[in-house]
Amino acid sequence: MNRPILLAALVVFALAARADEGMWTFDNFPAKKVQQKYRFAPDAQWLNEAQLSSVRLAGGCSGRFVSPDGLVMTNHHCAHSCIEQLSTMEKDFVALGFFAPSAENEVKCPEIELNQLVQISDVTARIQGATKGLKPGKEFNDKRKAAMATAERECAGGDDKLRCDVVELYHGGQYSLYRYKRFQDVRLVFAPEFAIAFFGGDPDNFNFPRYDLDVSFIRAYENDKPARTEHYFKWSPAGAKDGDLTFVSGNPGGTDRELTMAELQYQRDFALPARLFDLAQYRGALTMYTARSPEDYRVGEKDLFYVENSYKALKGRFEALVSPTLWNQKAERERALRAKVNGRPALRKKYGSAWDDVAKAVAMYQPRRIEYKYVELGSGFNSPLYRIARDLLRGTEELQKPNEQRLREYTDARLPQLKQRLFSQAPIYEQFELFKLSYGLTKLREELGADHPFVKKVLGKRSPQEVAQDLVKSKLYDPKVREQLWQGGRDAVQASTDPMIELAKLVDADARPLRKWHDEEVETLETSGAERIAAAKFELEGKSNYPDATFTPRLSYGAVKGFMENGQMVEPFTTMAGAFDRATGRDPFKLPDSWLRANENKQIDGSTPFNFCTTNDIIGGNSGSPVFDKDRQIVGLVFDGNIHSLGGDYGFDATLNRTVAVHSAALLEALDHIYGAKRIVAELKGAPASSSASGSK
Amino acid sequence: MNRPILLAALVVFALAARADEGMWTFDNFPAKKVQQKYRFAPDAQWLNEAQLSSVRLAGGCSGRFVSPDGLVMTNHHCAHSCIEQLSTMEKDFVALGFFAPSAENEVKCPEIELNQLVQISDVTARIQGATKGLKPGKEFNDKRKAAMATAERECAGGDDKLRCDVVELYHGGQYSLYRYKRFQDVRLVFAPEFAIAFFGGDPDNFNFPRYDLDVSFIRAYENDKPARTEHYFKWSPAGAKDGDLTFVSGNPGGTDRELTMAELQYQRDFALPARLFDLAQYRGALTMYTARSPEDYRVGEKDLFYVENSYKALKGRFEALVSPTLWNQKAERERALRAKVNGRPALRKKYGSAWDDVAKAVAMYQPRRIEYKYVELGSGFNSPLYRIARDLLRGTEELQKPNEQRLREYTDARLPQLKQRLFSQAPIYEQFELFKLSYGLTKLREELGADHPFVKKVLGKRSPQEVAQDLVKSKLYDPKVREQLWQGGRDAVQASTDPMIELAKLVDADARPLRKWHDEEVETLETSGAERIAAAKFELEGKSNYPDATFTPRLSYGAVKGFMENGQMVEPFTTMAGAFDRATGRDPFKLPDSWLRANENKQIDGSTPFNFCTTNDIIGGNSGSPVFDKDRQIVGLVFDGNIHSLGGDYGFDATLNRTVAVHSAALLEALDHIYGAKRIVAELKGAPASSSASGSK
């Protein structure tokens, strides 16, 4: 293969030099490395405090407790759904911002679940042992899933306030059981206007310098009262300075740094392009949909944000994968590892075929990927109504079975989150459903072809628009209807003639066999290969590395530091005054009135550091993570990475990859002098709980 | 590099076995090969007649004379622009179809130019000689372009009725001078409704079986009278049958079968993905734009067709390039060729570095590709108004220089086509311009970044929408205004304060240096490398191969033949009755009223063959090509390839790749029994000219 160096090393991934790389589990943090470089080593108690003070937003973000009364700081874009769900045509909190002047005004978010990690235990022997000696296939799948479900059920002991997940680390090299405390009563306390939370919009997204106040405050409740949270982060009086050691604890969603070349090639040639084509087209359509009227914008804006954010992030990933430098480094690393394995007969026997097994699994999936996408994954039914119908159908069916025989997503450990979504009071908008379903059904016909039996089954001789018009007559908008069906169980759902339930039934007849094929044939082959590759790496390289991210709590270390771009130094800080310089008065560079007013009244100290960047190793899912110093004091709030961080899925380039955060000083400055949110400021500064959180009770 | 076989040879390109492969120039047709396989060898006179009876639509299609009175048959989609340009809100010929009952009713197409190839001469020595001994760079570029322009000017002798193009074949291995007769007065005679021309729409596009009447008739005029065209194709009484030998003469737009691996890798990793991302998003937006109102649909529908067609075609190309089978075959072929070259000192000295030069050129372009796209290629100013402004600005500047020093697109040979477009009466719609410019300027900001100096220059502190609103106040909608500016020359254009001209001036300050860099540094290096690679191939493999397609007249041979798909034989014919079976009454499977009526009245013979497929090797640009038999009688009209033909850009798979055509019998059946277009039928059947084309004069 002739691979000329086309990219003059645009992105050089430091696979060898580890720098500040790593998304470490709390039970395997490299304190010595940190000591060597930064002359500070966190001890066990320090790590435990940091872990217990951090939370995961189960929907896909991170946060941290910032008071003993359950107050949680996260990003605006992490509470975006909640803010939108609480809004109406008359009162749009996304545009206007939200502030509960007292505890009574804090409003429940329909779908936020918080998880606080309280215990980690190693269950590798138990999970791997369940499939010992088994070939990939049905029994392998059944035994493995059963072992996981059983471990999880035993751990939670039927208590919905606990959440236990078996976490697959090192692609199956290690299985850990994570026990979380679960909070499902979470209320919105404060959010600024979208215009400043996401100042610069899509053009500035993933860029630095940056000027965003991407913050929101929510509060965990228990028994209708603010939760007592003894572990929380305190505020740093000084904030971060250039060169300071910084820690970030959060939940990086996923990385692919340890994938095989076969898997990477699949991503480069099939998965990523397909996803980007989809996102690009949907983005075009959604931009026009939201431009139709202010109400269409209000309803569709969160999806647009999600689509544009995903598109930019995945485009960055794709660009990293087509960088020959990265590709060749990875290929060489795999080649060298396989050569080592094949060089020792004992290793060769155990692990030699592992890479080929993974490649076979990928090759097996590839030709059916589009069918899987539309039939099992439901990409043509791009709508919350469909997801509800599907969960009602499958959930009530799966609940007939013992916990350990169910599909993973319907095991006891996952039911509380499922039910929260299923019975959510969040509004669903018929016109928006109609748009999305028409769009999705058209793509379904396009990608599978008009003559595909599944397409014929779903559309018949009708147009996608006609089918969508029927579907939106569903009664599943109403959470009470859903709850009745759920309570009625399988029989009630099977008897339902709701059009969306009917669709789910129609689909499931084809989807179930596909899912079975995927889980039993593809997944077990890939898992069995990946577990052996991980074992080979442990045997040859030891366990000094961190596992790929899995949307579970991790800790990273780094320092406040700028970077060189096009031969120029990008300084690590911006100031609040900089936002006014960048503003054009036109969306997305239009500052909200509150800021303009405060500035006119000279209430803002323009020299206050606004955003800053650090060398911490993060990725999507880390949004809302605290940035804290060695005294575990908050110096910032992670909300993004710079443009060079987008290849971080595959590797970490210490010279360019940066975490982007809101500075702690700007947070206080804005809360205090722009929003007059004195009670939050007091709570952050550690005023007694009674006078802040429950002040007015 | 570990490259597992992910695709179970979905597409196996027969690089070795040549089968019916090849888009042959008329002066190098492999008559012997055809004789061997099909026991028929076209002689020189046969080839000459076929060449002279075929025409090129300079905008990007093919056609053929079908009567001695200048009647030309091509596809509906080749005359789509004309049909749309002649339509109004009140009378939409795209939806309704068009038929001129007499010659007086034939209406002039504003922008169609026909080219009839009358002479081919070899100018390789002259063009290559001009750069002999020169290193890639400014002088190389100047001398080469001057030699081409001079050859063209001498050939046409200042006669606008002639068009002479130097054609670069074998990527510079051979230069031919093509002299065409040029027709610019071309009138619309007949077009069916879009609903049957493109029955099945995007879902069926590039598929077979198929049921499309993708035909239109236009007529070449000279001196305001139908042109006398002594060379034309006659109609076959029987039409094509399974297994029949078929010829296709047309103008395949471009193939990349002889590119180097460096160029292919650039296509796979950068060019194709970027183009697909763009098309996908624009498609999403345009679908929503055209759904706003019937008039928005009428105005935007042609663009939507173009975008969806391009998206599907390029997606097929991308999928071919990520097929490891194809990739590895190509890599191996290049490796073997280079090994042969390097194995002989004399060859190594002459050609050894050629591949590296091409790779260097690609590597030089890659990091500046986005800048080039927006600054020189104007991708952010996605509008005919901008193209007009740019042509006025650059054209009047370039005309100050002698012919041989101008940019290629403003040389004498190209002026008649340029002026036809520039002074076209085709309407330009302000609302659609506004949409496209807002869209394009937003992408410009996205892709170059809000802080790029060019973006700041174009947008300032305004939003893309505001800038677009200014631009559409341009007066360039009016062809008279354009003509005045063109006549006024450089001074008039420079003095103009028209907002679109002002934009063109602003852009050109940055675009000129970029273009110079591209032409002098990138292009000359690539050309110099490619010329040497071609020479090495000639030296080692002889000249028995065909050159990559270049949108110039070519001839291919093949046979009527079905193909196997998913284990099932796809028969090579459909029938007109099949269209009624496939119809759902819903767009794009809704037959026009004329067909439903004719069917109710039992006027249609349902057993008439409708569409068919052959093994001819074609590609985009061949649309409208005649399919004819060994007696040069018309048996069909090419309008598409099957889905497997989409990888045809890189190679030809004889087992799957098929040309898709309308059958000659269906054309007559529809003209006669559905549209009552008796005068066309008579003309096709060879009634005397006076009684058909000019019958009513």
Side-chain angles (χ1 to χ4, degrees):
Chain A
M1 172 104 40
N2 172 25
R3 268 190 169 271
I5 294 167
L6 284 185
L7 271 168
L10 260 186
V11 186
V12 181
F13 288 86
L15 287 174
R18 291 272 165 193
D20 294 344
E21 176 176 348
M23 304 171 181
W24 303 90
T25 52
F26 277 91
D27 58 353
N28 188 30
F29 188 77
K32 270 190 196 156
K33 270 193 192 173
V34 182
Q35 170 73 40
Q36 277 164 14
K37 184 161 179 189
Y38 292 104
R39 281 166 301 185
F40 169 76
D43 60 18
Q45 199 256 328
W46 188 103
L47 288 168
N48 193 48
E49 269 300 318
Q51 174 191 313
L52 290 166
S53 306
S54 304
V55 292
R56 180 173 78 161
L57 279 73
C61 268
S62 304
R64 86 297 297 267
F65 290 118
V66 287
S67 91
D69 294 298
L71 191 66
V72 168
M73 179 159 77
T74 184
N75 290 142
H76 183 280
H77 75 265
C78 293
H80 195 164
S81 284
C82 166
I83 302 165
E84 185 262 316
Q85 288 161 350
L86 299 178
S87 297
T88 60
M89 187 161 26
E90 292 71 36
K91 193 89 183 171
D92 180 1
F93 298 120
V94 178
L96 303 169
F98 178 92
F99 175 46
S102 72
E104 286 79 26
N105 303 101
E106 296 176 4
V107 195
K108 190 170 175 183
C109 287
E111 294 173 12
I112 291 186
E113 170 179 310
L114 296 178
N115 303 136
Q116 175 193 33
L117 178 60
V118 292
Q119 199 187 13
I120 302 176
S121 32
D122 188 340
V123 290
T124 310
R126 183 170 178 179
I127 307 298
Q128 287 184 349
T131 58
K132 203 173 167 87
L134 293 178
K135 285 212 180 334
K138 179 173 172 12
E139 198 185 349
F140 188 109
N141 181 53
D142 291 349
K143 288 276 166 64
R144 182 166 174 269
K145 302 272 169 82
M148 291 165 122
T150 307
E152 288 168 350
R153 199 198 47 218
E154 288 173 10
C155 159
D159 182 355
D160 279 359
K161 293 272 186 303
L162 291 178
R163 171 175 182 145
C164 290
D165 294 330
V166 171
V167 180
E168 194 179 329
L169 299 168
Y170 303 97
H171 298 275
Q174 180 182 317
Y175 292 87
S176 292
L177 184 61
Y178 278 35
R179 177 191 277 156
Y180 302 94
K181 183 161 182 190
R182 186 198 307 262
F183 299 91
Q184 286 199 319
D185 183 353
V186 180
R187 307 190 188 177
L188 184 63
V189 178
F190 171 85
E193 306 89 339
F194 186 62
I196 187 64
F198 195 47
F199 182 72
D202 178 68
D204 275 8
N205 197 13
F206 294 112
N207 282 348
F208 192 84
R210 198 71 167 281
Y211 310 87
D212 284 6
L213 191 77
D214 193 352
V215 66
S216 70
F217 289 91
I218 52 183
R219 192 185 303 278
Y221 276 68
E222 283 187 304
N223 306 317
D224 216 25
K225 290 202 181 103
R228 290 294 307 166
T229 45
E230 54 176 315
H231 306 282
Y232 64 96
F233 287 103
K234 298 196 173 61
W235 213 261
S236 157
K241 293 183 307 296
D242 199 355
D244 277 3
L245 168 63
T246 50
F247 294 93
V248 169
S249 82
N251 303 273
T255 53
D256 295 316
R257 296 179 185 176
E258 297 297 320
L259 290 192
T260 68
M261 294 311 290
E263 291 167 309
L264 289 177
Q265 188 169 347
Y266 178 76
Q267 288 209 3
R268 184 192 68 186
D269 293 345
F270 296 98
L272 282 176
R275 189 98 181 82
L276 282 162
F277 300 154
D278 282 355
L279 284 168
Q281 185 181 342
Y282 187 54
R283 177 190 188 188
L286 197 52
T287 303
M288 294 295 287
Y289 180 87
T290 52
R292 298 193 322 185
S293 74
E295 176 62 0
D296 288 326
Y297 177 78
R298 187 185 74 75
V299 168
E301 169 274 328
K302 177 177 52 87
D303 276 33
L304 184 60
F305 172 84
Y306 169 80
V307 167
E308 293 197 328
N309 189 58
S310 303
Y311 177 76
K312 203 164 182 176
L314 293 186
K315 194 147 167 268
R317 275 180 56 184
F318 179 73
E319 281 164 7
L321 267 195
V322 297
S323 146
T325 317
L326 171 74
W327 190 267
N328 294 341
Q329 278 176 339
K330 291 205 166 271
E332 172 50 27
R333 192 170 157 230
E334 180 168 301
R335 196 206 52 73
L337 182 64
R338 294 187 71 168
K340 266 194 212 164
V341 166
N342 288 329
R344 302 194 205 166
L347 293 184
R348 182 185 188 131
K349 185 155 182 276
K350 278 193 288 184
Y351 309 128
S353 64
W355 287 265
D356 297 332
D357 281 353
V358 171
K360 271 182 220 157
V362 172
M364 200 188 290
Y365 183 68
Q366 188 272 327
R368 301 186 76 177
R369 69 195 188 281
I370 297 174
E371 209 178 334
Y372 199 77
K373 168 182 169 185
Y374 283 101
V375 180
E376 168 62 12
L377 303 179
S379 285
F381 322 117
N382 167 31
S383 123
L385 285 183
Y386 175 75
R387 284 193 293 279
I388 287 164
R390 154 84 160 239
D391 278 336
L392 287 172
L393 177 73
R394 277 209 177 163
T396 53
E397 271 172 17
E398 291 294 307
L399 280 181
Q400 307 286 317
K401 305 174 191 167
N403 183 46
E404 65 275 13
Q405 290 175 23
R406 294 181 210 151
L407 292 172
R408 282 282 286 161
E409 61 268 35
Y410 300 105
T411 50
D412 288 344
R414 278 147 204 91
L415 287 184
Q417 198 186 352
L418 174 74
K419 287 198 238 172
Q420 186 189 31
R421 275 207 325 267
L422 210 45
F423 310 143
S424 161
Q425 299 286 334
I428 298 173
Y429 297 93
E430 186 177 328
Q431 283 307 306
F432 194 41
E433 289 293 286
L434 186 61
F435 159 69
K436 290 197 288 185
L437 283 164
S438 303
Y439 180 91
L441 290 163
T442 306
K443 287 302 283 184
L444 165 86
R445 182 178 65 186
E446 172 189 336
E447 296 217 324
L448 288 176
D451 296 313
H452 192 286
F454 183 73
V455 176
K456 287 189 167 173
K457 201 164 128 174
V458 171
L459 294 183
K461 288 215 160 193
R462 294 175 304 165
S463 71
Q465 290 70 23
E466 284 170 306
V467 174
Q469 259 146 8
D470 266 8
L471 291 173
V472 299
K473 290 180 191 140
S474 168
K475 301 289 174 220
L476 299 178
Y477 300 92
D478 184 353
K480 284 201 204 75
V481 172
R482 302 174 212 155
E483 207 150 355
Q484 276 164 13
L485 283 164
W486 182 261
Q487 299 305 344
R490 189 174 57 173
D491 294 344
V493 175
Q494 288 295 339
S496 166
T497 56
D498 185 277
M500 202 50 102
I501 301 258
E502 296 276 29
L503 174 70
K505 283 188 266 187
L506 190 80
V507 169
D508 224 34
D510 293 10
R512 284 275 191 177
L514 260 186
R515 173 66 180 268
K516 191 173 150 68
W517 162 81
H518 172 271
D519 287 2
E520 294 179 0
E521 300 190 38
V522 181
E523 194 183 69
T524 58
L525 190 58
E526 192 161 16
T527 299
S528 137
E531 280 184 356
R532 282 178 293 144
I533 293 171
K537 284 180 186 166
F538 288 160
E539 214 165 317
L540 287 164
E541 301 169 353
K543 218 168 180 173
S544 62
N545 208 348
Y546 59 93
D548 259 326
T550 48
F551 192 50
T552 49
R554 302 291 177 90
L555 184 60
S556 88
Y557 64 94
V560 178
K561 197 175 174 187
F563 55 98
M564 293 292 292
E565 199 165 57
N566 304 325
Q568 294 222 305
M569 186 67 192
V570 178
E571 295 299 328
F573 289 97
T574 63
T575 64
M576 291 179 81
F580 292 92
D581 293 340
R582 191 162 184 77
T584 65
R586 276 80 165 172
D587 179 61
F589 296 98
K590 184 173 160 57
L591 289 167
D593 290 346
S594 62
W595 280 60
L596 298 175
R597 224 166 23 234
N599 195 42
E600 267 173 36
N601 299 341
K602 311 221 180 296
Q603 290 163 308
I604 305 174
D605 176 357
S607 70
T608 309
F610 195 173
N611 290 174
F612 67 109
C613 66
T614 76
T615 62
N616 291 79
D617 186 6
I618 63 158
I619 205 148
N622 265 111
S623 284
S625 294
V627 189
F628 51 97
D629 61 18
K630 61 188 169 53
D631 301 320
R632 290 198 318 279
Q633 295 190 121
I634 284 181
V635 297
L637 165 60
V638 169
F639 71 98
D640 211 355
N642 68 352
I643 200 81
H644 310 289
S645 75
L646 293 176
D649 204 56
Y650 305 109
F652 181 77
D653 177 0
T655 61
L656 286 171
N657 192 327
R658 291 294 178 273
T659 285
V660 175
V662 191
H663 195 275
S664 54
L667 290 164
L668 283 192
E669 181 74 10
L671 286 169
D672 204 353
H673 298 137
I674 299 177
Y675 299 103
K678 306 283 180 196
R679 80 174 183 107
I680 302 178
V681 174
E683 195 171 347
L684 294 176
K685 286 185 169 170
S690 55
S691 72
S692 57
S694 334
S696 47
K697 278 203 174 175
Chain B
M1 172 111 34
N2 172 24
R3 266 190 171 272
I5 296 169
L6 284 185
L7 272 168
L10 259 187
V11 187
V12 181
F13 288 85
L15 286 175
R18 291 271 165 195
D20 295 342
E21 177 177 346
M23 304 170 180
W24 304 90
T25 52
F26 277 91
D27 58 353
N28 188 31
F29 188 76
K32 270 190 197 156
K33 270 193 191 174
V34 183
Q35 170 73 37
Q36 279 164 15
K37 184 160 180 190
Y38 292 104
R39 283 166 300 188
F40 169 76
D43 60 17
Q45 199 255 328
W46 188 102
L47 289 168
N48 193 47
E49 269 301 319
Q51 175 189 315
L52 290 166
S53 305
S54 305
V55 292
R56 180 173 79 164
L57 279 74
C61 268
S62 304
R64 85 300 292 272
F65 290 118
V66 287
S67 91
D69 295 297
L71 191 66
V72 168
M73 180 157 79
T74 184
N75 291 143
H76 183 281
H77 75 266
C78 292
H80 195 164
S81 283
C82 166
I83 303 165
E84 185 261 315
Q85 288 162 352
L86 299 178
S87 297
T88 60
M89 189 162 25
E90 290 72 33
K91 193 90 181 171
D92 180 2
F93 298 120
V94 177
L96 302 170
F98 178 91
F99 174 47
S102 71
E104 285 78 26
N105 303 101
E106 295 176 5
V107 195
K108 188 168 176 184
C109 287
E111 293 173 12
I112 292 187
E113 170 179 309
L114 298 178
N115 303 135
Q116 177 192 30
L117 179 60
V118 292
Q119 198 188 10
I120 302 178
S121 33
D122 188 341
V123 291
T124 310
R126 183 171 177 179
I127 307 299
Q128 286 185 349
T131 57
K132 205 174 165 87
L134 292 179
K135 287 215 178 336
K138 178 175 175 6
E139 198 184 349
F140 188 110
N141 181 53
D142 290 349
K143 288 274 165 64
R144 183 165 173 269
K145 301 272 170 78
M148 292 166 120
T150 306
E152 288 167 349
R153 198 198 47 217
E154 287 173 11
C155 159
D159 182 355
D160 278 359
K161 293 269 186 301
L162 291 178
R163 173 177 179 142
C164 290
D165 294 331
V166 170
V167 179
E168 192 179 329
L169 298 168
Y170 303 97
H171 298 275
Q174 179 183 317
Y175 291 88
S176 291
L177 184 62
Y178 278 35
R179 178 191 276 156
Y180 303 94
K181 183 161 181 191
R182 186 200 306 264
F183 299 90
Q184 287 199 320
D185 184 352
V186 179
R187 307 191 189 177
L188 185 63
V189 178
F190 171 85
E193 307 89 338
F194 185 63
I196 187 62
F198 195 48
F199 182 72
D202 178 68
D204 275 8
N205 197 14
F206 295 112
N207 283 348
F208 192 85
R210 198 68 170 282
Y211 310 87
D212 285 5
L213 190 76
D214 193 353
V215 66
S216 69
F217 289 92
I218 52 182
R219 193 186 302 279
Y221 276 68
E222 283 187 303
N223 306 318
D224 215 27
K225 287 198 183 109
R228 292 293 309 164
T229 46
E230 56 177 314
H231 307 282
Y232 65 96
F233 286 103
K234 297 198 174 58
W235 212 262
S236 158
K241 295 183 306 297
D242 199 357
D244 278 3
L245 168 63
T246 49
F247 294 92
V248 169
S249 82
N251 303 274
T255 54
D256 295 316
R257 297 179 186 176
E258 297 298 320
L259 290 192
T260 68
M261 295 311 290
E263 290 167 309
L264 289 176
Q265 188 169 348
Y266 178 76
Q267 288 208 3
R268 184 193 69 187
D269 293 345
F270 296 98
L272 281 176
R275 190 98 180 81
L276 282 162
F277 300 153
D278 281 355
L279 283 167
Q281 186 181 342
Y282 187 54
R283 177 191 188 186
L286 197 52
T287 304
M288 294 295 287
Y289 180 87
T290 52
R292 299 192 321 184
S293 75
E295 177 62 0
D296 287 326
Y297 178 78
R298 187 185 74 74
V299 167
E301 169 274 328
K302 178 177 51 85
D303 276 34
L304 184 60
F305 171 85
Y306 169 80
V307 166
E308 293 195 329
N309 189 59
S310 304
Y311 177 76
K312 204 163 181 178
L314 293 186
K315 193 148 167 268
R317 276 180 56 184
F318 179 73
E319 281 163 8
L321 267 195
V322 298
S323 145
T325 317
L326 171 74
W327 189 266
N328 293 341
Q329 278 176 339
K330 291 205 166 268
E332 173 51 27
R333 194 172 156 229
E334 179 167 300
R335 196 205 53 73
L337 182 64
R338 294 187 72 168
K340 268 194 210 163
V341 166
N342 288 329
R344 302 194 205 167
L347 293 184
R348 183 187 186 129
K349 187 157 181 273
K350 277 193 288 185
Y351 310 129
S353 64
W355 287 265
D356 297 333
D357 281 355
V358 171
K360 270 183 220 156
V362 171
M364 201 189 290
Y365 183 68
Q366 188 273 329
R368 300 186 77 176
R369 69 195 188 280
I370 298 174
E371 209 179 334
Y372 199 76
K373 169 182 169 185
Y374 283 100
V375 180
E376 168 61 11
L377 302 179
S379 285
F381 322 118
N382 169 28
S383 125
L385 285 183
Y386 175 75
R387 284 193 293 279
I388 287 164
R390 156 83 161 238
D391 278 335
L392 287 172
L393 178 72
R394 278 210 177 162
T396 53
E397 271 173 17
E398 290 294 306
L399 280 181
Q400 308 285 316
K401 305 176 193 166
N403 183 47
E404 66 274 14
Q405 289 176 23
R406 294 180 210 152
L407 292 173
R408 282 283 284 162
E409 62 269 33
Y410 300 105
T411 50
D412 288 345
R414 278 147 204 90
L415 287 184
Q417 199 186 352
L418 174 73
K419 286 199 239 171
Q420 187 189 31
R421 278 206 325 267
L422 208 47
F423 310 144
S424 160
Q425 299 286 335
I428 298 173
Y429 298 93
E430 186 176 329
Q431 283 307 305
F432 195 39
E433 289 294 285
L434 186 62
F435 159 69
K436 291 198 287 187
L437 284 164
S438 302
Y439 180 90
L441 291 164
T442 306
K443 287 301 282 185
L444 165 87
R445 181 178 67 187
E446 173 190 337
E447 295 216 323
L448 286 176
D451 295 315
H452 192 286
F454 184 72
V455 176
K456 288 189 168 172
K457 200 164 129 175
V458 171
L459 294 182
K461 288 216 161 194
R462 293 176 304 165
S463 72
Q465 289 70 22
E466 285 171 305
V467 174
Q469 260 145 7
D470 265 9
L471 291 173
V472 299
K473 291 183 189 136
S474 167
K475 300 292 173 216
L476 298 178
Y477 298 93
D478 184 352
K480 285 204 203 74
V481 172
R482 303 175 212 153
E483 207 151 354
Q484 275 164 14
L485 282 165
W486 182 261
Q487 300 304 346
R490 188 173 60 172
D491 293 345
V493 175
Q494 289 295 339
S496 165
T497 57
D498 185 277
M500 203 50 102
I501 302 259
E502 295 275 30
L503 174 69
K505 284 188 265 187
L506 190 79
V507 170
D508 225 34
D510 292 9
R512 285 274 192 176
L514 259 185
R515 173 67 179 267
K516 191 173 150 68
W517 162 80
H518 172 272
D519 288 3
E520 294 180 0
E521 300 190 37
V522 182
E523 195 183 66
T524 58
L525 190 59
E526 192 160 18
T527 299
S528 137
E531 280 184 356
R532 280 178 293 145
I533 293 170
K537 285 180 186 167
F538 288 159
E539 214 164 317
L540 287 164
E541 302 169 354
K543 219 168 179 172
S544 63
N545 208 348
Y546 58 93
D548 259 325
T550 48
F551 192 49
T552 49
R554 300 293 177 90
L555 184 61
S556 88
Y557 63 95
V560 178
K561 197 175 173 187
F563 55 98
M564 293 292 291
E565 197 166 59
N566 303 324
Q568 294 222 306
M569 185 66 193
V570 178
E571 296 299 329
F573 289 97
T574 63
T575 64
M576 289 179 83
F580 292 92
D581 293 341
R582 191 162 183 77
T584 65
R586 277 78 167 173
D587 180 60
F589 296 99
K590 185 173 161 57
L591 288 167
D593 290 346
S594 62
W595 280 59
L596 298 176
R597 223 163 28 230
N599 195 42
E600 266 173 37
N601 299 341
K602 310 227 182 291
Q603 291 164 309
I604 305 175
D605 176 356
S607 70
T608 309
F610 195 174
N611 290 174
F612 68 109
C613 64
T614 76
T615 62
N616 292 79
D617 186 6
I618 61 155
I619 204 148
N622 265 111
S623 283
S625 293
V627 189
F628 51 98
D629 61 17
K630 61 188 168 51
D631 301 318
R632 289 198 320 278
Q633 295 191 119
I634 284 181
V635 297
L637 164 61
V638 170
F639 71 97
D640 210 356
N642 69 352
I643 201 82
H644 311 290
S645 75
L646 293 176
D649 204 57
Y650 305 109
F652 181 77
D653 178 0
T655 62
L656 286 171
N657 191 326
R658 291 294 177 273
T659 285
V660 175
V662 190
H663 195 276
S664 54
L667 290 165
L668 283 192
E669 181 74 9
L671 286 169
D672 204 353
H673 298 135
I674 298 177
Y675 298 104
K678 307 282 181 198
R679 78 172 185 108
I680 302 177
V681 174
E683 193 171 347
L684 294 176
K685 286 184 170 170
S690 55
S691 73
S692 58
S694 334
S696 48
K697 276 205 176 174

